[in-house]
Amino acid sequence: MDPNEFQKSYGKLIAKAWSDHDFKAQLLSDPMTVFKENDVTIPEGIEVRMVENTEKITHFILPPEPSDELSDEQLEVVDGGNFSG
């Protein structure tokens, strides 16, 4: 599934979760099944966990450590363009 198609399909799941509390509960408890049932393809060997932001709790994702050294351009993006080189 290409990234645009994934975003479109994922967006539909989010919209449905906002309007259907039972669907939302299933999405939070068993996202892999919900994705499969709704033709959202997840690559083999990838585990998905869903969490919900609330008014008082926000989740931040720590990306995996890069396997190679970052280029100056990549460092600028990470640093918000404030890389002093």
Side-chain angles (χ1 to χ4, degrees), residues 6 8 10-11 16 24-26 29 31 33-34 44-45 49 52-53 58-59 64-65 73 79-81 83:
F6 176 84
K8 184 177 177 181
Y10 183 66
K16 185 173 180 178
K24 175 180 162 182
Q26 183 183 10
S29 67
T33 298
V34 173
E44 188 72 31
R49 296 183 186 176
E52 180 181 18
N53 288 339
T58 298
H59 296 87
E65 189 174 318
E73 292 80 20
D79 191 37
F83 181 66

Side-chain angles (χ1 to χ4, degrees), residues 2-35:
D2 74 64
N4 290 331
E5 187 63 31
F6 176 84
Q7 287 296 329
K8 184 177 177 181
S9 297
Y10 183 66
K12 288 179 182 180
L13 294 180
I14 299 304
K16 185 173 180 178
W18 287 340
S19 65
D20 182 336
H21 293 286
D22 291 335
F23 181 80
K24 175 180 162 182
Q26 183 183 10
L27 181 60
L28 288 167
S29 67
D30 191 4
M32 292 297 283
T33 298
V34 173
F35 280 26

Side-chain angles (χ1 to χ4, degrees), residues 6 30-33 35-36 40-50 64:
F6 176 84
D30 191 4
M32 292 297 283
T33 298
F35 280 26
K36 186 175 182 179
V40 177
T41 305
I42 302 297
E44 188 72 31
I46 299 294
E47 178 183 342
V48 174
R49 296 183 186 176
M50 294 290 294

Side-chain angles (χ1 to χ4, degrees), residues 63-84:
E65 189 174 318
S67 57
D68 295 329
E69 186 174 320
L70 295 175
S71 68
D72 288 347
E73 292 80 20
Q74 291 169 317
L75 286 171
E76 285 183 36
V77 170
V78 171
D79 191 37
N82 295 324
F83 181 66
S84 59

